[in-house]
Amino acid sequence: MTMDDLLADGAPPIAAILRGIRPEEALDVAAALVEAGIRILEVPFNSPDPLDSIGAMQRAFGDVAMIGGGTVLSVESVDALHGVGGRIMVTPNTDPAVIARGAELGLELLPGFMTPSEAFAAIKAGARRIKLFPAARLGPAYVKAVKDVLPKHVGVWAVGGTGADTIGQWLAGGCEGIGVGGALYRPGDDAATVGQRGRDLVAAWKATLA
């Protein structure tokens, strides 16, 4: 399963960013999100024991969801992510060596960028999707301007200050999807709460299709 397959099958273009999640709660929260319809789940590497969470989530939900790691900052972290079966690699920055290693291992890539120079550096290193971060500081109009010069096949995702109330604006501005962190999950939130937020987010996305 690739990201293209997932989106073509009708999965919402929403990545759940589970920063701070612990391995003992990862499966319950992941199950709630998958049930809500969200099929892209990211555990940032600055969470407690992220590889344990990613590996467990991959084993449980890897056949229906894209599971991976975020805040991936080194080639060693890319290798570790691949080693536990992670399928998507998300970064907050543009590091060509990290991106190239992810591409070499066949991971789905979503590296962070802010400037056009960073966007083109990420694309040159192998990315077909890139993540505007922090997106809320720049807004959908910035995405539209940047997309005017990007290759048509490159998808732009918005992360940082995104949520159910803004997904329509980002998609209308030309984003392929969004990543949602604090508006979806914060450390200590229970699975039922996260699941309801996930359903609200998916409903907001569906409203943009009407």
Side-chain angles (χ1 to χ4, degrees):
M1 177 178 58
T2 66
M3 183 78 85
D4 289 339
D5 295 334
L6 200 65
L7 297 176
D9 286 344
I14 299 165
I17 303 168
L18 304 176
R19 190 178 307 280
I21 198 165
R22 303 186 309 275
E24 59 267 29
E25 61 184 335
L27 290 183
D28 287 344
V29 170
L33 288 169
V34 169
E35 184 178 355
I38 293 178
R39 295 291 187 268
I40 306 167
L41 308 178
E42 167 201 337
V43 177
F45 264 57
N46 56 355
S47 303
D49 301 311
L51 294 172
D52 291 346
S53 294
I54 294 166
M57 289 163 59
Q58 173 63 29
R59 289 188 295 273
F61 303 106
D63 58 336
V64 295
M66 187 76 61
I67 311 293
T71 318
V72 178
L73 301 175
S74 68
V75 169
E76 291 76 16
S77 293
V78 180
D79 290 340
L81 174 63
H82 181 260
V84 296
R87 291 286 300 115
I88 183 169
M89 182 196 87
V90 186
T91 76
N93 61 336
T94 307
D95 186 325
V98 169
I99 297 167
R101 181 56 175 163
E104 182 182 359
L105 292 175
L107 299 177
E108 296 282 349
L109 309 174
L110 195 59
F113 83 99
M114 180 175 277
T115 68
S117 293
E118 292 172 340
F120 280 103
I123 294 165
K124 184 176 181 180
R128 292 181 53 246
R129 291 180 170 88
I130 54 178
K131 157 190 146 181
L132 178 63
F133 177 79
R137 293 285 184 176
L138 298 169
Y142 186 84
V143 173
K144 182 173 174 50
V146 171
K147 280 180 63 69
D148 283 345
V149 298
L150 294 179
K152 299 301 182 186
H153 72 277
V154 173
V156 176
W157 289 56
V159 178
T162 55
D165 56 337
T166 59
I167 185 170
Q169 299 169 33
W170 290 111
L171 297 180
C175 284
E176 181 181 40
I178 65 171
V180 183
L184 187 57
Y185 171 83
R186 291 183 182 277
D189 289 342
D190 60 41
T193 298
V194 179
Q196 183 57 58
R197 291 175 185 157
R199 288 189 290 274
D200 292 343
L201 193 51
V202 171
W205 165 68
K206 288 181 177 177
T208 69
L209 305 177

